[in-house]
Amino acid sequence: MIVVMEKGATREQVDHMVERIESMGLKAHVIVGTERTVIAAIGEKRAEAKQSLESGSGVSEVVPILAPYKVASREVKKEPTQVVCRNLKIGGGAIGIIAGPCSVESEDQIIKTARAVKAAGAQGLRGGAFKPRTSPYSFQGMKEAGLKLLALAREETGLAVVTEVMAIEDVDLICKYADMLQVGARNMQNYRLLEAVGRVRLPVLLKRGPAATLEELLLAAEYILNEGNPNVILCERGIRTFENHTRFTLPLATVPWLHGKTHLPVVVDPSHGTGHTWLVPDMAAASIAAGADGLILEVHPDPENAMSDGYQSLRFDQFNDTMTKCRKVGEALGKKL
Ligand code: PEP
Ligand code: MN
C-alpha cells in the first residue's frame, strides 16, 4: 500500500505513520517527493490495515500498489530517481557515460583508458576485477590488484569507478575501492547477493539477465531497494533469442517501457548487447534516442590483444566518434551528454 501524506504534512506526522506501519509488521519506505511525501508500506497486507492507516493524522489517502514490484514502481514515486556518484549523474534528465575495458589488465592499460574516456566526455570508468567467465579456463580478473588499479585511475582522473561484484563475500572488499557496484547479468537473480548489495551505501548497476523478463528485472531491483539502498540503475545488455547475427539481441523498447513502469534510471550496454565493435556506435546513439539515462561501453587501448571481449570493444578514436554521435542525438532531444 502507499500512504499518501497531505501536502505540508509534518515530520512528526510522517514519523508517526512509519511507526504505525512498522507496528503492523510491515516495512515502511519513506519517499519524499517534490509535491508530497508518500510512505510505501510493504508486506503481507491485512484487510483492516488500509482503513486503520487512513485514519492517521496528516494522511491524505491509502492506495494499493498494483505492480508486483513496489518500491521500484512509478505508482510509489512519480519523479524519476537520479543517481549521483562523483561527477557521474544518471537519470532525472541527466545522461551519464561509463566507459572502460571489460577487464582491468595492467596499470598502463587502465590509466591510459581512463585518461582517454575522460577526455572524450565519460564520467564513469568501468573495468572488471572479478570476471564472470563462461569457461573456468578463461582469465578470471586481477581481483584485488585490479581494484587497486581502478582506485589509482580514479585518483588520477576523478572518474567514478564501476566494477562487478560476483559474490557476497567480496562485497566489503570491493566497496573499499569502487564508487558503484555492478551486478552482472548472470547474477541478476542471485537474491542473497542482491540483498547484500542492498545493505551497502554505494549505488548498484543491475544488469538484465539474458533470459529474464523486465518484470523479473524490476523484482530483482526490488530486492536491493527493499534492503534500504535507493540507488539502483537498471541496465539493458541484450537477451538471448534465436537470432545469431549479434552476440545477444538488444531490445531498445526496454528503455521507454521501463520508464513507464519505474522511477529508476535505465542505461544501455551496446557492447555486450551487440558483441561487435562496428555495431556499437549506432546502437549507442539509438539508445540515447530511445531515452536512455546513460550508457556503459567497453573501450580498450588495443582491442585485438584484450584479455576479454576485445571483439566488442571500441578503440579510443572510435569511442570519441561514438560520443560525438550520441551528443548530436542528445541535442536533438534537448539533452546534454
Ligand atoms: C561485463 O560488463 O563485462 C559483463 C560481464 O557484463 P554482463 O554481466 O552483462 O554479461
Ligand atoms: Mn565484457
Side-chain angles (χ1 to χ4, degrees):
M1 288 170 292
I2 315 169
V3 178
V4 183
M5 301 301 290
E6 286 168 354
K7 274 186 193 158
T10 64
R11 181 70 206 256
E12 288 70 33
Q13 286 173 323
V14 173
D15 288 348
H16 176 70
M17 291 314 294
V18 167
E19 257 171 51
R20 286 196 55 197
I21 290 165
E22 286 172 351
S23 73
M24 288 172 170
L26 302 171
K27 206 159 180 168
H29 292 268
V30 178
I31 295 139
V32 182
T34 44
E35 283 272 306
R36 53 176 90 204
T37 296
V38 303
I39 312 168
I42 312 294
E44 283 300 314
K45 58 173 178 279
R46 298 199 316 264
E48 68 278 15
K50 179 177 181 311
Q51 272 185 337
S52 159
L53 291 173
E54 236 155 16
S55 66
S57 150
V59 173
S60 162
E61 58 175 340
V62 178
V63 288
I65 307 171
L66 299 176
Y69 35 91
K70 307 294 177 190
V71 189
S73 157
R74 276 265 180 206
E75 296 169 59
V76 166
K77 186 167 176 267
K78 301 266 181 294
E79 304 93 48
T81 291
Q82 181 171 84
V83 175
V84 182
C85 189
R86 295 179 182 265
N87 290 329
L88 175 64
K89 290 198 183 82
I90 298 179
I95 298 178
I97 307 295
I98 303 164
C102 179
S103 307
V104 182
E105 297 167 8
S106 68
E107 179 173 334
D108 185 57
Q109 174 238 24
I110 198 70
I111 298 286
K112 268 191 189 149
T113 308
R115 285 189 191 135
V117 300
K118 186 184 176 175
Q123 306 85 27
L125 175 67
R126 62 150 292 148
F130 292 83
K131 291 304 300 176
R133 302 306 302 279
T134 302
S135 162
Y137 308 119
S138 301
F139 174 58
Q140 302 289 310
M142 290 181 74
K143 318 255 164 63
E144 190 170 6
L147 296 174
K148 287 186 174 155
L149 294 179
L150 284 166
L152 191 68
R154 169 182 52 216
E155 225 172 89
E156 160 109 16
T157 59
L159 293 171
V161 165
V162 182
T163 195
E164 177 160 357
V165 54
M166 294 206 310
I168 300 175
E169 57 270 26
D170 299 333
V171 172
D172 288 344
L173 175 75
I174 296 174
C175 281
K176 281 205 265 174
Y177 298 98
D179 297 300
M180 185 183 292
L181 302 176
Q182 173 176 326
V183 172
R186 292 159 186 81
N187 269 315
M188 190 205 85
Q189 287 178 312
N190 181 343
Y191 299 118
R192 297 295 86 79
L193 178 64
L194 298 176
E195 286 168 349
V197 298
R199 290 191 288 268
V200 305
R201 48 162 199 89
L202 298 187
V204 178
L205 179 85
L206 176 63
K207 297 187 105 181
R208 178 185 188 177
T213 64
L214 291 179
E215 185 164 302
E216 286 164 340
L217 172 63
L218 287 167
L219 285 165
E222 193 75 11
Y223 269 88
I224 304 171
L225 299 167
N226 191 41
E227 289 297 321
N229 187 342
N231 294 312
V232 179
I233 298 162
L234 304 170
C235 178
E236 175 57 82
R237 46 77 75 210
I239 51 174
R240 183 141 288 168
T241 69
F242 57 84
E243 185 53 78
N244 60 7
H245 72 293
T246 46
R247 184 179 178 189
F248 293 96
T249 296
L250 183 61
L252 291 183
T254 294
V255 179
W257 191 88
L258 284 174
H259 279 153
K261 301 290 176 185
T262 179
H263 52 87
L264 298 173
V266 183
V267 309
V268 178
D269 174 349
S271 305
H272 293 85
T274 62
H276 298 282
T277 302
W278 70 279
L279 294 174
V280 172
D282 285 339
M283 294 312 285
S287 304
I288 301 297
D293 301 299
L295 298 170
I296 178 163
L297 294 161
E298 287 187 336
V299 177
H300 195 284
D302 179 16
E304 253 184 74
N305 291 301
M307 293 177 87
S308 59
D309 288 355
Y311 49 81
Q312 65 190 30
S313 299
L314 300 166
R315 290 188 317 260
F316 299 160
D317 60 316
Q318 292 170 319
F319 176 64
N320 211 17
D321 293 348
T322 303
M323 287 296 290
T324 305
K325 201 170 199 159
C326 289
R327 261 190 214 107
K328 285 185 188 156
V329 175
E331 263 164 38
L333 295 169
K335 294 180 182 171
K336 258 187 93 119
L337 266 90

